[in-house]
Amino acid sequence: MKFEEWKEIHAYCMNKECAYETRPFGKDPICYRIAGKIFAQLSMKQDWYKMTLKTNPEAAEFYRMAYPGVVVRGYHCPPVQQPYWNTIDLYQFDKDTLFQMIDEAYNEVKIHLTKKEQAKLPALSQYRFVKTDGEDPEFVKLCSKLDENLDEIVGGKIQRQKYVKYNQRDSIHDVIIVYKGEEAVACGSYKFYDEQTVELKRIFADKSVRGTGVGKELVRRLEADAKIAGYRFAVLETGALLTEACGLYKKLGYHQIPNYGPYVNMPESLCMEKKL
């Protein structure tokens, strides 16, 4: 394959059901994930034009024997993981076989997801995750719904007015809105906290889509964007009364930390952190 064809490879991976890109190691390579799990990794350097794909030991050995020196053990993997990854020299490979191997890699990851995650994929594929900014009118509307929802849950127990100044949209520039058809049903954002850290803000899913996996997928994609932008950590502020939100963040790998910044003297706040 020619180097210029990497865009076709990228598009093919991104068109897989619920696939999205991440760059956990810097600008290169691009890692393609489903439900947080990598199924493909594409290096776009002209002197290292390769793709690493998820596989199983039997299929891995078949391709290595069929294409000796072109398909090899996953170059980035420790020995214990190498039977489950193949690295392909794209300059010496044909597109049709590569796309077949991408299909197999995607399916290999998919079948090892939990049954619950697998069941949610067809529904999740109906949603569009659109990048925008804090001035998007749909984001403004969803933030209003978020505030109404928070008032409903904790408004009678906590004076929320003191939080307003920490949730202003003028400092938020990176936003993802989730659409079902033409309707905006969920949103989330992150903003600069320090040179290595972003703060997740204004994460909300309408009641109609809760339990579908949209919230988890939204946070994963925010994390992926932050990682691509060069950040290493994410922090957030929530509250112990927001049990659904706390449960979601814990499932995604966040852990409680001492309250930071403006929340230090707000005992009703609960702050969390995750390494991206």
Side-chain angles (χ1 to χ4, degrees):
M1 295 183 69
K2 296 179 181 179
F3 181 74
E4 294 75 19
E5 293 180 285
W6 74 264
K7 292 182 180 179
E8 289 186 57
I9 300 172
H10 176 72
Y12 192 81
C13 290
M14 292 295 288
N15 283 332
K16 305 301 288 183
E17 185 179 67
C18 298
Y20 61 98
E21 71 169 278
T22 64
R23 305 198 188 200
F25 310 111
K27 292 184 179 180
D28 189 84
I30 302 176
C31 294
Y32 302 93
R33 297 178 187 257
I34 172 178
K37 307 295 184 183
I38 296 174
F39 67 89
Q41 179 177 300
L42 174 64
S43 176
M44 299 177 297
K45 296 177 180 177
Q46 288 192 326
D47 61 348
W48 189 263
Y49 185 37
K50 299 180 185 290
M51 189 164 208
T52 300
L53 295 171
K54 184 71 172 178
T55 184
N56 59 66
E58 293 77 19
E61 192 60 30
F62 168 79
Y63 283 113
R64 291 168 194 166
M65 292 180 66
Y67 302 93
V70 178
V71 178
V72 299
R73 285 172 173 258
Y75 78 91
H76 68 297
C77 302
V80 70
Q81 293 184 14
Q82 286 180 348
Y84 302 93
W85 295 91
N86 273 340
T87 295
I88 304 159
D89 183 345
L90 296 176
Y91 283 126
Q92 302 183 64
F93 214 63
D94 69 277
K95 187 191 304 181
D96 290 342
T97 305
L98 178 67
F99 284 2
Q100 174 184 316
M101 292 178 72
I102 292 172
D103 291 344
E104 292 172 0
Y106 176 88
N107 289 330
E108 186 67 26
V109 171
K110 182 177 178 179
I111 63 173
H112 287 95
L113 298 176
T114 66
K115 291 183 178 179
K116 188 175 182 179
E117 287 177 317
Q118 290 183 49
K120 289 180 177 180
L121 288 179
L124 273 177
S125 67
Q126 301 175 26
Y127 298 92
R128 291 183 294 120
F129 294 77
V130 179
K131 298 177 186 178
T132 183
D133 57 43
E135 298 306 311
D136 191 303
E138 295 296 340
F139 182 58
V140 176
K141 292 177 185 177
L142 288 168
C143 284
S144 294
K145 287 187 175 182
L146 168 60
D147 290 330
E148 292 172 4
N149 184 66
L150 291 173
D151 287 340
E152 182 180 327
I153 297 173
V154 301
K157 300 177 182 179
I158 295 174
Q159 177 52 260
R160 290 193 59 251
Q161 188 61 35
K162 60 185 175 182
Y163 288 90
V164 171
K165 59 183 176 181
Y166 305 122
N167 289 315
Q168 298 301 304
R169 288 179 291 102
D170 56 2
S171 62
I172 295 175
H173 308 293
D174 296 280
V175 174
I176 294 178
I177 295 177
V178 186
Y179 288 87
K180 186 175 184 180
E182 298 303 314
E183 181 185 5
V185 294
C187 68
S189 64
Y190 66 83
K191 70 176 187 177
F192 175 89
Y193 181 74
D194 64 33
E195 294 299 329
Q196 296 191 71
T197 310
V198 293
E199 183 180 22
L200 299 189
K201 302 293 290 184
R202 307 273 77 190
I203 295 173
F204 171 73
D206 187 78
K207 291 180 180 179
S208 64
V209 298
R210 291 175 195 168
T212 63
V214 165
K216 182 182 287 187
E217 188 75 3
L218 172 62
V219 174
R220 283 173 173 158
R221 296 193 184 213
L222 288 168
E223 293 171 347
D225 278 3
K227 184 69 175 180
I228 290 172
Y231 295 100
R232 298 182 58 221
F233 301 91
V235 295
L236 59 87
E237 182 273 337
T238 183
L241 293 175
L242 303 174
T243 53
E244 288 186 16
C246 291
L248 171 65
Y249 298 134
K250 288 178 181 178
K251 286 179 181 178
L252 286 167
Y254 287 83
H255 63 274
Q256 188 173 350
I257 58 173
N259 285 6
Y260 59 83
Y263 309 111
V264 169
N265 296 316
M266 296 184 184
E268 61 271 28
S269 288
L270 189 156
C271 294
M272 307 181 86
E273 181 184 55
K274 177 182 178 179
K275 183 177 181 181
L276 299 177

